[in-house]
Amino acid sequence: MNPNGDPDPAAVIRELKVFQSLGGPQVEALAGICREVRYPAGSVIFREGDAGADIYVVLEGRVALGVAIPGGPDMRFLSLGPGDFLGWSAFLPRKPKMSNARATEPARLLSIDGAKLRSLCDQDHDMGYRVVLEILSAVSSRLQATRLQLIDMYRAEPR
Amino acid sequence: MEVEVKAEAKEDARSTVRAIDRDGLERLLGLLREEGYRTIGPTVRDGAIVYDEIESVRDLPAGWKDEQAPGRYRLVRRPDDALFGHVVGPISWKAFLFRPRETLTAAARGEGGALEFRRAPFEPERAAFIGVRSCDLAAIAVQDTVFTGGPYVEPRYAALRRAAFIVAVNCLESGALCFCASMGTGPRARRGFDLALTEIEGRFTVEAGSDAGRRLLERLGAEEARAEDAARVEEGTARCAASMAKRMDPAGLPELLLGNLDHPRWDEVAARCLACANCTMVCPTCFCSTVEETSDLTGSSAGRVRVWGSCFTEEHGKVHGGSYRPEIKDRYRQWLTHKLASWVPQFGTSGCVGCGRCIAWCPVGIDITEEVAAIRASPGPVPDVQGLPLAPVPSPLPAPRAPAASSVEEDLVPRPAAVTAAVRETPDTVTLHVRPPQGFSFRPGQFNMLSLPGVGEVPISISGWDGTAVEHTIRAVGPVTRQLAALRPGQELGMRGPYGSSWPVDEAKGCPAWVVAGGLGLAPLRPLVRELIGRPEDFPEVRLIGGSRTPGDILFVREILGWIGRRNLQTHLTVDRAGPDWRGSIGVVTQLLDDASIEGVYFVCGPEIMMRFAVRRILEAGVPPQRVYVSMERNMKCAAGFCGCCQYGPLFVCKDGPVFRYDSVAYLFERSGF
Ligand code: SF4
Ligand code: FES
C-alpha cells in the first residue's frame, strides 16, 4: 500500500461524477473518511475473501477484476478506469470482497472507509439515498454487461 | 420470340375474336408443334390435373372437374365433357419457367489444374403453355418481376420465358377456393398471353394478345366469332367473378400485417401448421431456392444445382450458429408477411394471385384468406410501421416485362481467382488476399461470394485491398469456410461480386465518425477505417471501438498498432475476458459507448446481439437513428435477390443491404424470428 496525504480530498470528490449529487456539507463529511492511495502497475489492491473495509473510486489508471481459477491464471472479466467504483461490496456489512483487484496500470484511487460511509449514510439518509443510487447505477450496468458476457456473443458468431 | 404485352389489345382491330371448334384446337396444337413448341397442358395423372406434355386434344381432361376445399382436392365427373372445366391443380407454370432443378454453374480443372467456371450449358426448350388461367398469368407476371426486374436477370428463367408461347383460358366457372376476383387477377385474362381461349359449349372463342398470337391465328384461318359468343366471354367471366364466394381484401395488407407482427393469431396458426412447405411448392409465385453441390467421383468437375426451397424449412433461415427463424410461427409469419406484405415494397405487387392452391394442398387446411381476415378483424392496438419502405399497391398488376438478354447475367458466374497471401489473424481466422478478376472494384461494406467447387459458396465481406489483391477475413466455422481458410498462396477459388450496399462514408464528413466493431464485425469495417483515417481533412475525429472475446481474438493487431499516433483516430479495444497478460480494457464493448457523441455518425457491425445492445446505447445517448448504420447478416445463396433466403422483413440483405440505415430496420431489430 502506498498512502499519500492529499491536501484537499473534498476538491477531488467534487470532481467525481459519482458524487456530483452530494451537497457541500455531505462532501465535507465524506472527505473526512477518505484518503488517496496509489498502486504501482501489477500490484494487488484486494483479494477474493478479504474482509474488505474500503470502497474505492478510481481516479487514475486501470484496475482489473478477476476470479482465481484453480490450476490457472486469474480469469479477468472487468477493468475499471477513472470515475468507476471499485469494491462497492464494502458498503454492505460483513460482505467480503468477491474478486481479485489488481492495478494493470499505475493507479491512483480514492479510498473510502466502508463502515464509516455506512454510518454517515445512516445519520444522513438523504446522503445515503444519493450514494446508494450511484452504487446501484454502477451495479446495474455491471449486471447488464455480465449478462452480455454470459451470452458469449462472439463465440458462435456466424459471418 | 418475344412475349409482347399490349394493354390496349382489346381496341386493336386485328385482335377480333375468332372461333374454333375442337378440331380447330387440335389444329392449333399441331401448328404450335410445327413451330417447334412442346405443347404442355392440363392432363389427368394420379388423381389430379397436372400440367404435362400433351400431344392432342385427347390428352386434355375432358369431362373432369376438380372439387376443392381446404385441405381437400378430388376429381369428379362433370355433366358435360368440357376440356377446361376444371381450375388449378398442384402444379403451376413455374415448374416450366423457374424449374425445380437447374444446374447453375459447372466448374472443372482445366489443363495444368487451373480452375474454370462456366455457366452450365442451357438450351431453352420452346414450350407452349395451353390453358393458363388468369390467376396464373398474373403469377407469371409476378415471377417476371422477381427474376428479370431487378439489377440482375436470372438467365435461365429469362430464356425459358422468352421461348414460351402462352395460350390462356378464361374461367367461366371458378373453383370453391378461387379468389382472383378480389385480388384483381381474374378470372378474365386481359394481358400477358399470346392467345386466349374461352370454352363455350364445346366451342372456343380465341383472341390474340401478341403479334405471335396474331400470326398463329392467321395461320389457323379461324372464322370470326359470332357477336353473341364474343359477348358471352365478357358476361361469363363477369358472372364467374360475381359468384366467387371466397375473397381476400388486399387493401392496406402491408401495413396491416407488418403492423401486427405480434398478433396472437400467429401462435394459433403455428399450432396447426406442420411446416411441410406444401403451400410454397404449389404457390405459383413462391420463388425461394437453395443450392446443392454436386461433384463427380474423381473430383475433376463439380456443379451447383439450384433446387426449390421454402421458407418453411429450417435451412432457409440458417447460418452457421443457428437459424433466424427457429419456430414454426416465425416461418408461417415469414411466408404470409412476405407474400402479402413485403412483396409490395420488394416487387411493386402482392405475391398472392388468388389461385387458392395453398388452401387446397395444405394438409391441415389452413386458409390464407381466413388468416388475413382474422388479423383484420382484431388488429393490434398500435400498428407501428414507421419507416417502412412501403410502396402503394399498384392496380392493376404490372405488365409482364419481356425479359431481355443481359450481360449482367454473367456477373453471377464465379471466376477463378488466385490466393496471393494467407495471413493468420487468430487461431481460427485467416485473411486471404485474392487477386480478383480484371476490372474489380468495391466500396467498403460490400461482400463477395467465394466458392470452392464441390464444397460450396459463402458470402464473405471484403476486409480490404492491398494494392493488387482483395482481402477477405474468414473464420473457419463451417465446411466451406474451413476449406477456404485452409487455402495456401497459389491456390484458386471461385469469386463473384462485389455485391450489396456499402458504408455511406461521406455521411460522416465533418462529424465524429464512430466505428463500432464486435468480433469478426471488424472485417467489413476495416476498409472503412482505412478510408476515414486516410482523409483527415474530411474526418478529423474517428473513433474505433472494438470488442472481442479474448485478447487472442482481436483481429488485425499489427495494423491497429500501426494506427497508433494517427492524429484523427482514437482506438478503444476491449475484451470480454482476459488472462494476466492483457493490460487493456476488459468488459463488454457497449460500455465504451457511454460517452457516445450526439453529433457522431455510427457504423456498427458485429454479432446481431452485440449490435442490438450497442445501438441501444447509442440511441440512449440521443443520437438520431438516421445517423446509425448497421451491417446485417442472413443466409445467402444467390446474392442477386433470387433465392429469397436473405430476407429480413421486406428487405433483401444481399441487394438492399448488408449495410442499412438503422431507422429502416429499427422495427425488426429488437425482435427475433426474422
Ligand atoms: S383463381 Fe380465378 S383465374 Fe384462377 S382458376 Fe380460379 S377462377 Fe380461374
Ligand atoms: S435473395 Fe438470394 S441471397 Fe439475397
Side-chain angles (χ1 to χ4, degrees), chain B residues 143-172:
Chain B
Q143 286 211 329
D144 283 356
T145 313
V146 171
F147 289 123
T148 69
Y152 296 103
V153 171
E154 208 300 302
R156 298 151 209 89
Y157 179 92
L160 289 166
R161 179 75 173 86
R162 259 180 244 127
F165 187 97
I166 295 181
V167 181
V169 165
N170 282 312
C171 296
L172 299 184

Side-chain angles (χ1 to χ4, degrees), chain A residues 41 62 64 73-79 104-105 141-142 144-145 148-149 151-159, chain B residues 319-320 475 518-520 547-549 576-578 580 583-586 588-589 591 605 607 609-610 613 631 633:
Chain A
R62 181 178 280 148
D74 275 15
M75 209 270 279
R76 297 184 178 170
F77 50 83
L78 183 64
S79 66
T104 51
E105 282 171 18
S141 75
R142 281 181 213 180
Q144 252 295 296
L148 281 180
Q149 284 168 315
I151 292 167
D152 203 1
M153 55 195 178
Y154 306 120
R155 199 177 47 135
E157 144 196 68
R159 190 173 288 274
Chain B
V319 290
H320 173 80
R475 191 169 184 191
L520 204 50
S548 308
R549 187 169 188 246
D576 270 9
R577 62 198 68 186
R583 310 263 298 276
S585 164
I586 308 166
V588 290
V589 64
Q591 287 171 311
C605 184
I609 186 147
M610 167 265 168
F613 282 88
S631 177
E633 192 210 7

Side-chain angles (χ1 to χ4, degrees), chain B residues 143 205 221 289 292 312 336 367 373 422 432 459 463 519 541 568 651:
Chain B
Q143 286 211 329
T205 62
S289 61
E292 289 173 358
F312 282 94
L336 198 78
D367 181 336
L432 291 186
S463 64
E541 200 187 325
N568 64 337
L651 302 162

Side-chain angles (χ1 to χ4, degrees), chain B residues 165-473:
Chain B
F165 187 97
I166 295 181
V167 181
V169 165
N170 282 312
C171 296
L172 299 184
E173 285 170 38
S174 65
L177 302 179
C178 294
F179 55 102
C180 60
S182 57
M183 298 304 288
T185 55
R188 172 76 163 100
R190 299 207 183 273
R191 56 164 98 207
F193 54 81
D194 295 292
L195 291 177
L197 308 174
T198 310
E199 185 173 23
I200 300 169
E201 286 155 15
R203 288 167 300 117
F204 301 89
T205 62
V206 197
E207 314 155 64
S210 72
D211 288 339
R214 272 182 284 276
R215 279 195 299 273
L216 202 78
L217 214 46
E218 287 315 320
R219 286 191 61 197
L220 195 61
E223 63 191 36
E224 224 170 275
R226 292 180 311 197
E228 320 82 276
D229 281 351
R232 281 179 72 180
V233 175
E234 301 307 331
E235 276 163 31
T237 50
R239 207 172 321 111
C240 172
S243 67
M244 225 171 274
K246 199 163 265 310
R247 61 186 315 274
M248 180 153 77
D249 178 3
L253 277 185
E255 292 81 356
L256 179 76
L257 296 178
L258 297 176
N260 282 282
L261 296 175
D262 297 319
H263 198 283
R265 186 73 185 193
W266 301 119
D267 295 302
E268 289 161 35
V269 69
R272 301 170 62 206
C273 174
L274 309 175
C276 68
N278 269 14
C279 50
T280 54
M281 298 294 122
V282 297
C283 177
T285 66
C286 273
F287 60 88
C288 284
S289 61
T290 185
V291 168
E292 289 173 358
E293 298 289 328
T294 59
S295 63
D296 70 1
L297 289 173
T298 64
S300 63
S301 73
R304 287 174 62 72
V305 179
R306 182 192 72 198
V307 296
W308 282 1
S310 167
C311 54
F312 282 94
T313 64
E314 194 189 355
E315 193 216 352
H316 191 265
K318 202 167 183 173
V319 290
H320 173 80
S323 166
Y324 286 105
R325 287 185 286 278
E327 310 286 335
I328 290 187
K329 167 185 166 180
D330 304 330
R331 300 184 205 161
Y332 188 85
R333 184 174 57 187
Q334 165 65 29
W335 180 67
L336 198 78
T337 54
H338 183 218
K339 186 123 314 236
L340 299 175
S342 302
W343 216 290
V344 173
Q346 287 175 351
F347 303 111
T349 164
S350 169
C352 177
V353 296
C355 70
R357 285 182 176 93
C358 58
I359 310 174
W361 296 94
C362 175
V364 297
I366 294 173
D367 181 336
I368 187 171
T369 64
E370 279 176 14
E371 296 312 308
V372 168
I375 291 181
R376 202 185 278 288
S378 63
V382 198
D384 176 18
V385 287
Q386 264 187 10
L388 258 186
L390 295 179
V393 187
S395 99
L397 272 169
R401 287 202 214 186
S406 163
S407 65
V408 291
E409 293 173 8
E410 289 305 326
D411 290 353
L412 301 177
V413 180
R415 278 179 270 170
V419 175
T420 60
V423 180
R424 184 152 294 279
E425 305 285 353
T426 73
D428 63 0
T429 307
V430 166
T431 297
L432 291 186
H433 296 239
V434 185
R435 197 187 305 283
Q438 276 268 304
F440 179 89
S441 74
F442 77 100
R443 283 168 288 124
Q446 291 189 293
F447 66 94
N448 276 327
M449 296 296 284
L450 301 186
S451 55
L452 288 171
V455 180
E457 184 176 54
V458 283
I460 303 283
S461 58
I462 297 171
S463 64
W465 175 255
D466 70 7
T468 55
V470 55
E471 294 164 90
H472 287 287
T473 302

Side-chain angles (χ1 to χ4, degrees), chain B residues 287 289 447 449 634-647 652-655:
Chain B
F287 60 88
S289 61
F447 66 94
M449 296 296 284
R634 283 296 177 268
N635 183 16
M636 290 194 200
K637 292 289 183 215
C638 71
F642 299 149
C643 76
C645 295
C646 70
Q647 288 179 81
F652 285 96
V653 171
C654 69
K655 58 176 190 183

